[in-house]
Each structure stands twice: as structure tokens, then as C-alpha cells.
Amino acid sequence: MSAVLPSYVAGRWFAPDDGVPLLDASTGEEIVRVSSSGLDFAAMVDYARQIGGPAIRALTFHERAARLKALAKALSERAVKDAFYDLSFRTGATQRDSMVDIDGGIGTLFAYASKGTRELPDGKVVLDGPVEPLGKGGSFVGQHVFVSRPGVAVQINAFNFPVWGMLEKLAPAFLAGLPSIVKPASQTAYLTEAVVRQIIDFGLLPAGSLQLVSGSAGNLLDHLGPQDSVAFTGSAHTADILRQHPSVLHGGVRLGVEADSLNCSVLGTDVSVDDPEFELFVKGVVTEMTVKAGQKCTAIRRAIVPAAIADDVVAAISDRLAKVTVGKPDADGVRMGALASLAQRDEVRKAVEALRTSADIVFGDPDRVDVVGADAESGAFISPVLLRAHEGAREVHDVEPFGPVSTVISYETLDEAIDLAARGKGSLAGSVITHDPEVARTIVLGLTPWHGRILVLDRDDAGESTGHGSPLPMLVHGGPGRAGGGEELGGIRGVLHHMQRTAIQGSPDMVTAIGGRWTTGAQRREDGIHPFRKSLAELKIGDTISSDAREVTREDIATFADFTGDTFYAHTDPEAAAANPLFGGIVAHGYLVVSLAAGLFVEPHPGPVLANFGVDNLRFLTPVKAGDSIAVTLSVKQITPRLSADYGEVRWDAVVSNADGDPVATYDVLTLVAKTWPQDA
Ligand code: NDP
């Protein structure tokens, strides 16, 4: 008997005495056994809540991002990755399939590390949108904030992506401040276990950040409550069971679902057999059928094509499929490996049988396949199968064969194509292959209510396109209706899904203290030291410089016009400027006002301010006429140290006002400021 795959529970590895055998997908050899019998699920949840969560939330977003980056680097080490690849072959995956899973997963960690650093503050609160004024006097305002929850993120994954499936859920949850309990699908859990073991051994994540359930989920969900969430990927059937779990129905547990999806690819009416788009379409369908042997939640199940060229499409796809070598995933020349298990092959055969009531097989035989390097019957091998739908076919929009199977469906008009796509009742990913912008717009707008992501592919973006089926960390992954209604990834959106959004109402000082960003109306501090003389360590939110006033003369405006070449009539032609309904005479250039403001607030000597790297939200509110005088108030709005540099970012609130006190221009000035000054101090 082989060993039993352990789980990682409350800081230690635990394995029961026996379990269900897990077999090599291509040889049928037993690899390991799996069972979660005897696992203390209550202790896992408790450990995550009491130990993992507080330790993660003691870190700022940037510190969490740095841990993710270090982890991604460690997992990228050749020897570490090679071990994962060796195991991945046993799941039936080829080298290319494994890259999508293993490198794709590590890439997602890198992407979240980078986004966490660049797009989140170095704090623990995310501000959502601008301050909302709630009172006329400015003393009562509102601000939406996102904060971490003191809960646990449970992930229940499908068998097809044992590495990516875990890491794409772990990264956003960790950034959001949540510990994860990972429950991979049993079939391929040995690969997930190997990655979890490495992560634990690296010791880069705080204790309690990550636990593993090998085997069934047992009564894990019974222990969850209103601060916890479950992210599920798998069948619609299991999703329904989870939706009806008392913890979800009555206990306030948040459930996100990614389930079955009958994704489509639509070929535009503008495309003829000789266009590059025809080849792109055919190649896309074949790739989606054969990568991971079609066991991808985003794979193209329905190829929707103009009736006039449907025969050509079928012939071209069949030609390409005929060149696909099926076999042991690590054997030379093999393009497509095995399905994850013999049971999965039975499922696919059953699904093809169901499809045959409304479609004919035009390529492949689900019961026969030539296999290289392995025995066709002991391994879970199956031929790619292409079907062609009968007119008005229904099953092709309802039955999801989770394998290398796709159906060609023909249409006459774009409206019909959209209607056919919608019969999938909601999908994760769709694609439209066309070189005609009008066709693209019509189909895409028709498809969007039914899709989480849509690729528009043509000769112009094909070179760089990541293809129909690749979820990307910066774009949302999920879909409406049948696809489950969940949403993951999408950059920082995926982090915020794990956090609580709360509307805070209070005075500007209170909102500043809570959100960590200076708010208009909050106290400004002027202590006689110019804030440009203060290092990052010395600067405080609210530190302010109020400048002297300066007159803007007609000569200033003329000089600026001459010097820059900006001789727009409002600055140079008195008559035309007088006729302008907004100005009624010569006005200063907005950029002159901003430039003069810099001259008013700057402290010119060498000091801790190293650079100005831009302005945000610049608005010109009141025209400045010749003879008006202006002054500027500059206050520290937000301070963001950079972890790996000896400087940080300071965002300043700038308000330029005229002699009447009216705001002339408002904007944020962005600077880099040394952490200490003098720098060797
Ligand atoms: P399942 O729904 O059977 O399993 C998915 C996950 O749920 C596994 O980890 C499984 O654990 C777990 N699970 C099963 N029953 C329960 C339960 N009652 N409570 C808690 N967890 C449970 O899907 P499969 O992975 O077997 O895939 C089957 C089908 O799902 C595919 O044929 C395909 O149609 C669809 N699928 C969709 C995907 C998508 O993203 N849209 C991705 C992958 C699959 P265990 O393995 O231990 O049973």
C-alpha cells in the first residue's frame, strides 16, 4: 500500500492510516492514498482565525506584497519547479499544460505582489472613492473604506489546475489580510500538497497563513461564520450543494462560485477562408480542445461560425486535430496527454453520447485513440472529438464535455450568433474573431451580459494575444449564470472582494485619522519649518506651507506665451478673449498658474525632497486675470514609504487661491522624499 497524503493542520502535518488510492492518469499506477478522516476541522479554522489572520494583518499591504514576491521567487527556483513538473506529468498534463498550471500560478503571485505594492497604500485601509461632502459647512463628510475581515478564506478547487487554482486564490486573500485553508480536488491533490509543503518549508508566510485539507472537505463548512468566505471551483452540482449549506444559507458565509461553462468562440461574418482571422479561429479552437486535454473551465465548447463557411471550418479544424499526437505526457512528440482519471474519461464519453442526440461526430472516436508511450486502456486517454450541430440543436448549449471536445454550430445573422452564444446561459470566457470593428462591436455588446471576459482577436493583436482560454491576474475571472456568478482576480478587485466596504461618516479630522489620508477641512499644521526640509521620518500628515501672495501681471502672461509658444487667443488677443463667455478678457495660462505656484511653495536648497514625479487630479476652477494675485497652500496628504528603497512617496494637497479666497486650481503634487536627511543620518 502506498503512503497516505498528509494534510497541514494547525501547524503540523497529519495523515490518517488509510485512504482512497490516487492513480497516475496515464499508467494507472497508484501514486498515493488520500483521506481527510480524523482531521480536526474546528482546530484548523480556529488556528487560521487566532494565529494566521492576526499575523497577516499585523503586516501592511506592502509588507504582504513583499512576502508574496519572495514566495514567488522561491517557488521559481529551477530545482523546486522541476519537482512540481515531475509530479504534474502524473496528472496527465504535458510540459506545456504544466506550464499553464505551475508557471501560471507563480506568475499570478508575482502579479499580485507587484499590484499590491503599486496600487495599494502602505497601510491597512483602502480608501474607496473620494470624500463625499455631507454638510454645507464642510465639517461633516463621508468616506468609503475597505478593511480586512477577521475571518478565514476557504478555497475548494477543481482537479484541473492543482497549482494555479490554489495560488490565484491565495494571493488576493493574503493581500486582503486573510489566512487560507486550501482544499484541492482529491484526484490531483498530491501536486497541491507538494507546493504547500514547499511554501511551509520556505517559512516566508506567517504561521497560520496556509493550511491544507487532503481528501474530502468533511464538516469544514460547519465551522465557518459571517467573517469567512468560501471560493469554490468545480461542478454546478457541487456548487448547488454548497449554496444550500446552512452556513451559507443562514450563517452569513460568503460563497463565490466558478462552475461549468459552455464557452463559445464566434467567427465574424466578415471573415473568408483566405483571411488570417480564419486560421486564427481554427488554431484557437484546436488549442482550447487540446491544452490540458480540454479540461479547462475556459475551453471553447462551442465554435459558432457563419453557415457559408461552416464546412471549411470543420475541414480545417479536423486537419489540425489529425496532427495532434496523444500519449504519455512526458513522451517525445506528445501534444495531448491524458484526462485526469478513468472516471473523468467515462464522464467525457457520456457527455459526447448526450451531444450526439443533436450533433454528429465529424472528427475522432471517443472510444478509440492511438496512444504513444502508454497503454491506451490503463491510462485515461481519449481522442479529440469534433462535432457538428444539427439545426436547432439544444444539447450543445447544455452539456459540458470536460475534455477535448468541441461542437461547430452555424449561424446566418449576427443576431442569431448572439442568440446562440446566450443559450450557454452564462460563460467565463468568450472570443470573437473578426477584423471588422462594426461586427466586433455588435457581437461583443451582444455577448457581454453573458460573459466574464471576451477576447476580440484579429491579425493586429494575434501576435501578442494570450489566447481565448488564459485567465490573467489583472483581468476578472468568473462569469454570470451557469458559470456560477462569481468573480476572482481582476487585479486589486480580487483583493477587495475579500474585504469589507464600510461608509465612515465624521469630521474631516476623524476621516483623516481613520483613512490615513489628509481630507479637505482637516487640520493643517504649520510649525515654522518648511515641510520640504523634513525627511519622510519627520513628515506628518497635515504638515503645511502657506505661501505669500504673488500678482500675475499682463507681462507674465505675455512672457509665458512667447516662451512656450502657447499663444492661444485667451492669453494673447484682448478682443477675442473679451468675447469668450467664460473669460471676458485676457487670462493666465493654467500651466502658468501651476508653474507660479511651484515657485511660491518650493524650498530651493538641496534637501530630502528628491524629485517631483507628477501631479494628479489637476483642475482649473477660476480664471486668473491679469492683475489678480494668487497664493498656494500645500499640505501633506499621504505618506507611502517604499519598502525596498531609502525614499518614499509623498502626496501633497495643493490649493491655489486668488485674493478673494476662491480656489483657482487644485491638484495633488507627487514627490519622492528621502527616508532620512542628511541621507547618511
Ligand atoms: P466537483 O464539483 O466534483 O469537485 C470540485 C471540488 O469540490 C473538489 O475539491 C471536490 O473535492 C469538492 N467537493 C465535492 N463535493 C463536495 C462537497 N459536498 N462539499 C465540499 N466540497 C466538495 O468537480 P470536479 O473537480 O470533479 O469536476 C467535475 C466537473 O466540474 C467537470 O467535469 C467540469 O464540468 C466542472 N469543472 C468546472 C470548472 C470551472 O472552473 N468552471 C473547473 C473544473 C471542473 P473532492 O475532489 O475531494 O471530491
Side-chain angles (χ1 to χ4, degrees), residues 435-461:
H435 195 46
D436 181 329
E438 267 310 302
V439 172
R441 196 177 66 86
T442 305
I443 304 181
V444 168
L445 294 183
L447 258 54
T448 40
W450 300 99
H451 286 80
R453 176 168 61 81
I454 299 173
L455 162 72
V456 183
L457 188 66
D458 68 357
R459 65 197 76 175
D460 295 335
D461 64 357

mmCIF file of all heavy atoms in Angstrom, residues 435-461:
data_model
loop_
_atom_site.group_PDB
_atom_site.id
_atom_site.type_symbol
_atom_site.label_atom_id
_atom_site.label_comp_id
_atom_site.label_asym_id
_atom_site.label_seq_id
_atom_site.Cartn_x
_atom_site.Cartn_y
_atom_site.Cartn_z
ATOM 1 N N HIS A 435 -12.136 41.029 -38.214
ATOM 2 C CA HIS A 435 -11.279 42.189 -38.471
ATOM 3 C C HIS A 435 -12.142 43.418 -38.756
ATOM 4 O O HIS A 435 -11.643 44.458 -39.157
ATOM 5 C CB HIS A 435 -10.358 41.887 -39.661
ATOM 6 C CG HIS A 435 -9.222 42.852 -39.787
ATOM 7 N ND1 HIS A 435 -8.440 43.239 -38.722
ATOM 8 C CD2 HIS A 435 -8.724 43.518 -40.858
ATOM 9 C CE1 HIS A 435 -7.535 44.102 -39.126
ATOM 10 N NE2 HIS A 435 -7.677 44.292 -40.410
ATOM 11 N N ASP A 436 -13.444 43.287 -38.540
ATOM 12 C CA ASP A 436 -14.371 44.381 -38.842
ATOM 13 C C ASP A 436 -14.865 44.997 -37.525
ATOM 14 O O ASP A 436 -15.570 44.329 -36.748
ATOM 15 C CB ASP A 436 -15.552 43.797 -39.646
ATOM 16 C CG ASP A 436 -16.563 44.860 -40.036
ATOM 17 O OD1 ASP A 436 -16.716 45.841 -39.262
ATOM 18 O OD2 ASP A 436 -17.196 44.704 -41.085
ATOM 19 N N PRO A 437 -14.521 46.266 -37.262
ATOM 20 C CA PRO A 437 -14.900 46.871 -35.977
ATOM 21 C C PRO A 437 -16.402 46.872 -35.726
ATOM 22 O O PRO A 437 -16.845 46.739 -34.591
ATOM 23 C CB PRO A 437 -14.369 48.310 -36.080
ATOM 24 C CG PRO A 437 -13.341 48.273 -37.159
ATOM 25 C CD PRO A 437 -13.721 47.170 -38.092
ATOM 26 N N GLU A 438 -17.191 47.014 -36.791
ATOM 27 C CA GLU A 438 -18.657 47.030 -36.610
ATOM 28 C C GLU A 438 -19.166 45.652 -36.169
ATOM 29 O O GLU A 438 -20.007 45.537 -35.279
ATOM 30 C CB GLU A 438 -19.348 47.441 -37.915
ATOM 31 C CG GLU A 438 -19.625 48.925 -38.000
ATOM 32 C CD GLU A 438 -20.328 49.460 -36.750
ATOM 33 O OE1 GLU A 438 -21.422 48.974 -36.419
ATOM 34 O OE2 GLU A 438 -19.756 50.362 -36.083
ATOM 35 N N VAL A 439 -18.625 44.624 -36.825
ATOM 36 C CA VAL A 439 -19.007 43.251 -36.457
ATOM 37 C C VAL A 439 -18.576 43.003 -35.011
ATOM 38 O O VAL A 439 -19.329 42.462 -34.190
ATOM 39 C CB VAL A 439 -18.350 42.226 -37.424
ATOM 40 C CG1 VAL A 439 -18.576 40.801 -36.930
ATOM 41 C CG2 VAL A 439 -18.902 42.401 -38.839
ATOM 42 N N ALA A 440 -17.355 43.438 -34.688
ATOM 43 C CA ALA A 440 -16.827 43.235 -33.326
ATOM 44 C C ALA A 440 -17.748 43.900 -32.306
ATOM 45 O O ALA A 440 -18.133 43.301 -31.301
ATOM 46 C CB ALA A 440 -15.416 43.798 -33.219
ATOM 47 N N ARG A 441 -18.099 45.169 -32.581
ATOM 48 C CA ARG A 441 -18.923 45.916 -31.619
ATOM 49 C C ARG A 441 -20.284 45.231 -31.423
ATOM 50 O O ARG A 441 -20.751 45.027 -30.303
ATOM 51 C CB ARG A 441 -19.131 47.339 -32.121
ATOM 52 C CG ARG A 441 -19.638 48.312 -31.066
ATOM 53 C CD ARG A 441 -19.749 49.714 -31.628
ATOM 54 N NE ARG A 441 -20.783 49.777 -32.652
ATOM 55 C CZ ARG A 441 -22.066 49.974 -32.407
ATOM 56 N NH1 ARG A 441 -22.466 50.164 -31.166
ATOM 57 N NH2 ARG A 441 -22.948 49.993 -33.367
ATOM 58 N N THR A 442 -20.907 44.843 -32.536
ATOM 59 C CA THR A 442 -22.233 44.218 -32.442
ATOM 60 C C THR A 442 -22.165 42.915 -31.637
ATOM 61 O O THR A 442 -22.962 42.704 -30.716
ATOM 62 C CB THR A 442 -22.771 43.927 -33.861
ATOM 63 O OG1 THR A 442 -22.759 45.147 -34.589
ATOM 64 C CG2 THR A 442 -24.179 43.363 -33.808
ATOM 65 N N ILE A 443 -21.203 42.056 -31.987
ATOM 66 C CA ILE A 443 -21.173 40.752 -31.291
ATOM 67 C C ILE A 443 -20.758 40.944 -29.833
ATOM 68 O O ILE A 443 -21.378 40.384 -28.922
ATOM 69 C CB ILE A 443 -20.213 39.757 -31.984
ATOM 70 C CG1 ILE A 443 -20.589 39.582 -33.453
ATOM 71 C CG2 ILE A 443 -20.266 38.394 -31.283
ATOM 72 C CD1 ILE A 443 -19.714 38.602 -34.220
ATOM 73 N N VAL A 444 -19.725 41.758 -29.602
ATOM 74 C CA VAL A 444 -19.225 41.891 -28.224
ATOM 75 C C VAL A 444 -20.318 42.477 -27.323
ATOM 76 O O VAL A 444 -20.555 41.973 -26.220
ATOM 77 C CB VAL A 444 -17.940 42.761 -28.185
ATOM 78 C CG1 VAL A 444 -17.597 43.133 -26.749
ATOM 79 C CG2 VAL A 444 -16.777 41.996 -28.816
ATOM 80 N N LEU A 445 -21.001 43.517 -27.787
ATOM 81 C CA LEU A 445 -22.042 44.101 -26.927
ATOM 82 C C LEU A 445 -23.199 43.123 -26.720
ATOM 83 O O LEU A 445 -23.848 43.119 -25.683
ATOM 84 C CB LEU A 445 -22.532 45.432 -27.497
ATOM 85 C CG LEU A 445 -21.461 46.537 -27.486
ATOM 86 C CD1 LEU A 445 -22.026 47.858 -27.991
ATOM 87 C CD2 LEU A 445 -20.851 46.714 -26.097
ATOM 88 N N GLY A 446 -23.432 42.274 -27.706
ATOM 89 C CA GLY A 446 -24.457 41.236 -27.541
ATOM 90 C C GLY A 446 -24.025 40.161 -26.546
ATOM 91 O O GLY A 446 -24.836 39.620 -25.803
ATOM 92 N N LEU A 447 -22.730 39.888 -26.520
ATOM 93 C CA LEU A 447 -22.216 38.805 -25.673
ATOM 94 C C LEU A 447 -21.931 39.234 -24.228
ATOM 95 O O LEU A 447 -21.970 38.406 -23.310
ATOM 96 C CB LEU A 447 -20.898 38.264 -26.279
ATOM 97 C CG LEU A 447 -20.965 36.950 -27.058
ATOM 98 C CD1 LEU A 447 -22.020 37.038 -28.164
ATOM 99 C CD2 LEU A 447 -19.610 36.597 -27.659
ATOM 100 N N THR A 448 -21.626 40.517 -24.031
ATOM 101 C CA THR A 448 -21.154 40.936 -22.696
ATOM 102 C C THR A 448 -22.094 40.561 -21.540
ATOM 103 O O THR A 448 -21.589 40.150 -20.491
ATOM 104 C CB THR A 448 -20.844 42.450 -22.630
ATOM 105 O OG1 THR A 448 -21.823 43.137 -23.363
ATOM 106 C CG2 THR A 448 -19.477 42.759 -23.189
ATOM 107 N N PRO A 449 -23.420 40.673 -21.660
ATOM 108 C CA PRO A 449 -24.240 40.318 -20.485
ATOM 109 C C PRO A 449 -24.067 38.858 -20.061
ATOM 110 O O PRO A 449 -24.419 38.498 -18.946
ATOM 111 C CB PRO A 449 -25.676 40.546 -20.971
ATOM 112 C CG PRO A 449 -25.570 41.397 -22.171
ATOM 113 C CD PRO A 449 -24.240 41.108 -22.785
ATOM 114 N N TRP A 450 -23.509 38.053 -20.951
ATOM 115 C CA TRP A 450 -23.405 36.608 -20.687
ATOM 116 C C TRP A 450 -21.980 36.170 -20.392
ATOM 117 O O TRP A 450 -21.723 34.989 -20.248
ATOM 118 C CB TRP A 450 -23.925 35.821 -21.906
ATOM 119 C CG TRP A 450 -25.349 36.145 -22.216
ATOM 120 C CD1 TRP A 450 -25.806 37.000 -23.169
ATOM 121 C CD2 TRP A 450 -26.505 35.648 -21.542
ATOM 122 N NE1 TRP A 450 -27.175 37.065 -23.140
ATOM 123 C CE2 TRP A 450 -27.631 36.238 -22.145
ATOM 124 C CE3 TRP A 450 -26.694 34.750 -20.484
ATOM 125 C CZ2 TRP A 450 -28.929 35.968 -21.732
ATOM 126 C CZ3 TRP A 450 -27.992 34.481 -20.079
ATOM 127 C CH2 TRP A 450 -29.092 35.082 -20.694
ATOM 128 N N HIS A 451 -21.057 37.086 -20.329
ATOM 129 C CA HIS A 451 -19.651 36.693 -20.217
ATOM 130 C C HIS A 451 -18.875 37.488 -19.176
ATOM 131 O O HIS A 451 -19.115 38.674 -18.991
ATOM 132 C CB HIS A 451 -18.942 36.875 -21.576
ATOM 133 C CG HIS A 451 -19.312 35.826 -22.564
ATOM 134 N ND1 HIS A 451 -20.484 35.871 -23.276
ATOM 135 C CD2 HIS A 451 -18.689 34.682 -22.930
ATOM 136 C CE1 HIS A 451 -20.562 34.800 -24.053
ATOM 137 N NE2 HIS A 451 -19.477 34.061 -23.855
ATOM 138 N N GLY A 452 -17.902 36.800 -18.555
ATOM 139 C CA GLY A 452 -16.989 37.489 -17.642
ATOM 140 C C GLY A 452 -15.816 38.126 -18.377
ATOM 141 O O GLY A 452 -15.250 39.116 -17.927
ATOM 142 N N ARG A 453 -15.443 37.534 -19.508
ATOM 143 C CA ARG A 453 -14.290 38.069 -20.270
ATOM 144 C C ARG A 453 -14.516 37.744 -21.742
ATOM 145 O O ARG A 453 -15.036 36.664 -22.065
ATOM 146 C CB ARG A 453 -12.993 37.414 -19.772
ATOM 147 C CG ARG A 453 -11.737 37.792 -20.532
ATOM 148 C CD ARG A 453 -10.462 37.345 -19.792
ATOM 149 N NE ARG A 453 -10.385 35.907 -19.610
ATOM 150 C CZ ARG A 453 -9.971 35.049 -20.540
ATOM 151 N NH1 ARG A 453 -9.573 35.500 -21.715
ATOM 152 N NH2 ARG A 453 -9.941 33.757 -20.302
ATOM 153 N N ILE A 454 -14.139 38.684 -22.614
ATOM 154 C CA ILE A 454 -14.282 38.441 -24.057
ATOM 155 C C ILE A 454 -12.994 38.865 -24.768
ATOM 156 O O ILE A 454 -12.526 39.999 -24.609
ATOM 157 C CB ILE A 454 -15.478 39.223 -24.656
ATOM 158 C CG1 ILE A 454 -16.788 38.775 -23.989
ATOM 159 C CG2 ILE A 454 -15.552 39.012 -26.165
ATOM 160 C CD1 ILE A 454 -17.995 39.600 -24.387
ATOM 161 N N LEU A 455 -12.451 37.964 -25.560
ATOM 162 C CA LEU A 455 -11.271 38.273 -26.373
ATOM 163 C C LEU A 455 -11.731 38.640 -27.775
ATOM 164 O O LEU A 455 -12.523 37.910 -28.376
ATOM 165 C CB LEU A 455 -10.365 37.032 -26.430
ATOM 166 C CG LEU A 455 -9.316 36.994 -27.550
ATOM 167 C CD1 LEU A 455 -8.196 37.995 -27.271
ATOM 168 C CD2 LEU A 455 -8.732 35.590 -27.694
ATOM 169 N N VAL A 456 -11.255 39.769 -28.295
ATOM 170 C CA VAL A 456 -11.503 40.112 -29.697
ATOM 171 C C VAL A 456 -10.181 39.900 -30.427
ATOM 172 O O VAL A 456 -9.204 40.603 -30.175
ATOM 173 C CB VAL A 456 -11.978 41.572 -29.847
ATOM 174 C CG1 VAL A 456 -12.301 41.872 -31.299
ATOM 175 C CG2 VAL A 456 -13.185 41.837 -28.955
ATOM 176 N N LEU A 457 -10.172 38.932 -31.308
ATOM 177 C CA LEU A 457 -8.906 38.516 -31.932
ATOM 178 C C LEU A 457 -8.915 38.828 -33.421
ATOM 179 O O LEU A 457 -9.880 38.531 -34.122
ATOM 180 C CB LEU A 457 -8.728 37.010 -31.700
ATOM 181 C CG LEU A 457 -7.394 36.402 -32.105
ATOM 182 C CD1 LEU A 457 -6.260 36.936 -31.227
ATOM 183 C CD2 LEU A 457 -7.442 34.874 -32.001
ATOM 184 N N ASP A 458 -7.829 39.426 -33.867
ATOM 185 C CA ASP A 458 -7.641 39.607 -35.309
ATOM 186 C C ASP A 458 -6.149 39.659 -35.602
ATOM 187 O O ASP A 458 -5.323 39.451 -34.713
ATOM 188 C CB ASP A 458 -8.370 40.858 -35.821
ATOM 189 C CG ASP A 458 -7.770 42.161 -35.311
ATOM 190 O OD1 ASP A 458 -6.810 42.106 -34.513
ATOM 191 O OD2 ASP A 458 -8.246 43.226 -35.710
ATOM 192 N N ARG A 459 -5.811 39.958 -36.858
ATOM 193 C CA ARG A 459 -4.402 39.921 -37.274
ATOM 194 C C ARG A 459 -3.568 40.937 -36.493
ATOM 195 O O ARG A 459 -2.363 40.777 -36.371
ATOM 196 C CB ARG A 459 -4.316 40.187 -38.782
ATOM 197 C CG ARG A 459 -4.772 41.561 -39.203
ATOM 198 C CD ARG A 459 -5.055 41.658 -40.674
ATOM 199 N NE ARG A 459 -6.326 41.037 -41.032
ATOM 200 C CZ ARG A 459 -6.852 41.068 -42.241
ATOM 201 N NH1 ARG A 459 -6.213 41.654 -43.226
ATOM 202 N NH2 ARG A 459 -8.011 40.499 -42.490
ATOM 203 N N ASP A 460 -4.220 42.004 -35.985
ATOM 204 C CA ASP A 460 -3.449 43.064 -35.319
ATOM 205 C C ASP A 460 -2.989 42.693 -33.912
ATOM 206 O O ASP A 460 -1.919 43.110 -33.486
ATOM 207 C CB ASP A 460 -4.278 44.357 -35.241
ATOM 208 C CG ASP A 460 -4.563 44.909 -36.623
ATOM 209 O OD1 ASP A 460 -3.771 44.606 -37.545
ATOM 210 O OD2 ASP A 460 -5.572 45.627 -36.785
ATOM 211 N N ASP A 461 -3.812 41.968 -33.169
ATOM 212 C CA ASP A 461 -3.399 41.661 -31.788
ATOM 213 C C ASP A 461 -2.977 40.201 -31.607
ATOM 214 O O ASP A 461 -2.554 39.805 -30.522
ATOM 215 C CB ASP A 461 -4.508 42.042 -30.771
ATOM 216 C CG ASP A 461 -5.792 41.231 -30.940
ATOM 217 O OD1 ASP A 461 -5.851 40.414 -31.876
ATOM 218 O OD2 ASP A 461 -6.734 41.430 -30.148
#
